[in-house]
Amino acid sequence: EARWRAVRVVAAAVNGRAAGRTRLSRYVLVDAWERAVACASARLEVISDGRFRLRRRDIRQVGKEFELAVTDAYHGAGERPAASLSGGEMFLASLAMALGLSDVIQAEAGGVRVESLFVDEGFGALDEDALDKAVAVLEQLRARQRLVGVVSHVAELRRRIPARLEVLRTDGGSVTRTAIRAHARPPH
């Protein structure tokens, strides 16, 4: 009976049934999310030339465990919801989150390398400077032997990306073709 009581206490704690406790699975998920956000924040700080940092918002303030906040060093107004970023800023934050998540996955998978990422996130919302930064980041990743697939309809991006798989609409259905250009237009 004493052993059963001990097992019951541990089971209640692991399953989040003890007072003030979180389920172990949720705790592990939140921990992984916080590590992904920390990795993403470090990447976003570099991508944004030191302007932006990310962190998980305090659940007591927003009632959600996975909401992000951003600190903008240019405005010094403290922290604000990540949802308040402009289109170009949001794209850079999304790219940083994808990369941060891949960093955590690689670490958790025993060093298995995540070599491919696909980004389908608002290239059309990027201004010229943000597009330059995004392309520079994508080129740096490519130089490190990582494939980054970009889903986009933005003509300017098409001119800057040297190797593409294009999907074309035809009367018989969609077909693909490769498009490889020797030199892409370098970022400004």
Side-chain angles (χ1 to χ4, degrees), residues 26-44:
R26 186 160 206 75
Y27 173 82
V28 170
L29 183 61
V30 169
D31 179 64
W33 176 252
E34 285 181 344
R35 286 184 285 126
V37 171
C39 290
S41 184
R43 287 185 178 271
L44 182 59

Side-chain angles (χ1 to χ4, degrees), residues 60-98:
R60 292 169 294 196
Q61 292 175 335
V62 295
K64 299 176 187 172
E65 287 181 292
F66 302 105
E67 192 162 321
L68 296 177
V70 65
T71 302
D72 185 340
Y74 286 9
H75 297 292
E79 189 176 282
R80 60 186 166 113
S84 67
L85 292 169
S86 72
E89 296 163 349
M90 183 64 79
F91 171 80
L92 296 176
S94 296
L95 180 58
M97 280 301 301

Side-chain angles (χ1 to χ4, degrees), residues 56-143:
R56 185 172 67 96
R57 291 190 74 187
D58 187 340
I59 189 171
R60 292 169 294 196
Q61 292 175 335
V62 295
K64 299 176 187 172
E65 287 181 292
F66 302 105
E67 192 162 321
L68 296 177
V70 65
T71 302
D72 185 340
Y74 286 9
H75 297 292
E79 189 176 282
R80 60 186 166 113
S84 67
L85 292 169
S86 72
E89 296 163 349
M90 183 64 79
F91 171 80
L92 296 176
S94 296
L95 180 58
M97 280 301 301
L99 295 170
L101 187 56
S102 75
D103 292 341
V104 171
I105 290 169
Q106 287 181 153
E108 293 292 320
V112 172
R113 209 170 127 83
V114 177
E115 295 177 350
S116 303
L117 296 171
F118 289 86
V119 180
D120 183 7
E121 175 62 43
F123 278 96
L126 299 179
D127 60 34
E128 185 73 22
D129 290 337
L131 184 59
D132 288 342
K133 287 178 184 174
V135 170
V137 169
L138 295 174
E139 285 297 316
Q140 290 169 2
L141 291 171
R142 190 173 63 87

Side-chain angles (χ1 to χ4, degrees), residues 5 10-12 22 28 31 53 62 73 82 110-111 114 123-124 133 148 151 153-154:
R5 276 195 301 270
V10 170
T22 301
V28 170
D31 179 64
R53 290 192 55 78
V62 295
V114 177
F123 278 96
K133 287 178 184 174
V148 179
V151 179
H153 300 284
V154 177

